[in-house]
Amino acid sequence: MTERLVTLSDVCVRFDGPPVVDHINLTLNRGDIVTIIGPNGAGKTTLIKSVLGIQRITSGTIWRNPQARIGYVPQHLQLQPTLPLSVRRFLMLTGESADTCRQALAQTGVEHLFDASVHHLSGGEKQRVLLARALARSPDLLVLDEPAQGVDINGQAALYDLIRALRDRLNCGVIMISHDLHLVMAATDRVICLNQHVCCSGYPADISTDPAFIETFGQTVAESLAVYHHHHNHRHDLHGDVVESQPAEGCSHHGVH
């Protein structure tokens, strides 16, 4: 039986001018990966902050499963550079034990950074540490705001592969924002194109031919998102470098190019 995690019904968020988020209806179930795309200023971050309950909505309703634990990876995390802070201490600020935090790092492939300084991490390492911080709570729902921010192109692909693997392993729901259209189309189950309101939504294979998508992103972008089947026999490390070969049949996933 499908387990609902969050339902938004006719949700609007308004500040001083026109609605930032306008009449949004959305249901996220356990096991879903839903990606929100849209131009700058479309209301994407406002929408997921509403899902989290840290942004008050102007009208409509939001239902959250009262038993569901939520893990959140924000788009930006400002840390005082003069404050000595190890990854261990940073993760334990969640209130979880050192063992739990170490296990969360292992799930994201960076257990070796447990005693490293957070100020010396690469972009890919930092995003995996932030993801581990969210995983330390054993979430039923992962909320990710631009999870590949500051990561190079190959590192982004590896990170989105990791998110899918975590969804499968934890049987959690995932809702994320991304500008990485080509990569995220391969990593998501459902795409929502937002521009204050929902312009269009659907499966990745279908969304690029939707007239509303073409109007928002342009014909050139839409044509570049033709569906392909991507087969590869390697994986990438945190920096996007190829580090290991695997049998050719070992990995196959759908994507766009």
Side-chain angles (χ1 to χ4, degrees), residues 216-254:
T216 302
F217 289 99
Q219 184 69 41
T220 301
V221 172
E223 288 175 352
S224 74
L225 297 180
V227 176
Y228 76 94
H229 294 272
H230 178 68
H231 301 269
H232 60 80
N233 61 354
H234 61 269
R235 66 182 179 87
H236 299 278
D237 64 13
L238 300 178
H239 310 287
D241 299 322
V242 175
V243 294
E244 181 180 283
S245 295
Q246 297 173 342
E249 68 274 15
C251 184
S252 173
H253 62 266
H254 300 287

Side-chain angles (χ1 to χ4, degrees), residues 42-155:
K44 302 183 297 294
T45 295
T46 298
L47 179 61
I48 66 165
K49 285 184 175 179
S50 299
V51 170
L52 290 165
I54 59 179
Q55 171 62 58
R56 184 188 299 271
I57 64 174
T58 305
S59 61
T61 60
I62 299 180
W63 177 88
R64 302 177 189 86
N65 187 321
Q67 277 75 51
R69 295 180 298 275
I70 299 177
Y72 175 43
V73 177
Q75 182 176 358
H76 300 292
L77 183 66
Q78 299 296 329
L79 296 173
Q80 176 53 252
T82 59
L83 176 67
L85 186 64
S86 68
V87 170
R88 176 203 298 258
R89 290 188 61 196
F90 175 64
L91 292 186
M92 290 182 67
L93 291 174
T94 61
E96 302 296 335
S97 69
D99 284 345
T100 297
C101 293
R102 186 186 287 275
Q103 290 167 15
L105 285 172
Q107 289 189 74
T108 64
V110 289
E111 184 181 2
H112 62 284
L113 297 175
F114 193 50
D115 292 310
S117 167
V118 295
H119 303 298
H120 298 154
L121 303 177
S122 70
E125 289 169 342
K126 182 179 293 184
Q127 291 307 102
R128 287 178 182 246
V129 166
L130 288 172
L131 186 54
R133 184 174 182 267
L135 293 176
R137 302 189 66 234
S138 300
D140 302 290
L141 173 63
L142 269 175
V143 181
L144 313 172
D145 191 349
E146 293 283 3
Q149 181 91 1
V151 182
D152 67 30
I153 188 72
N154 288 327

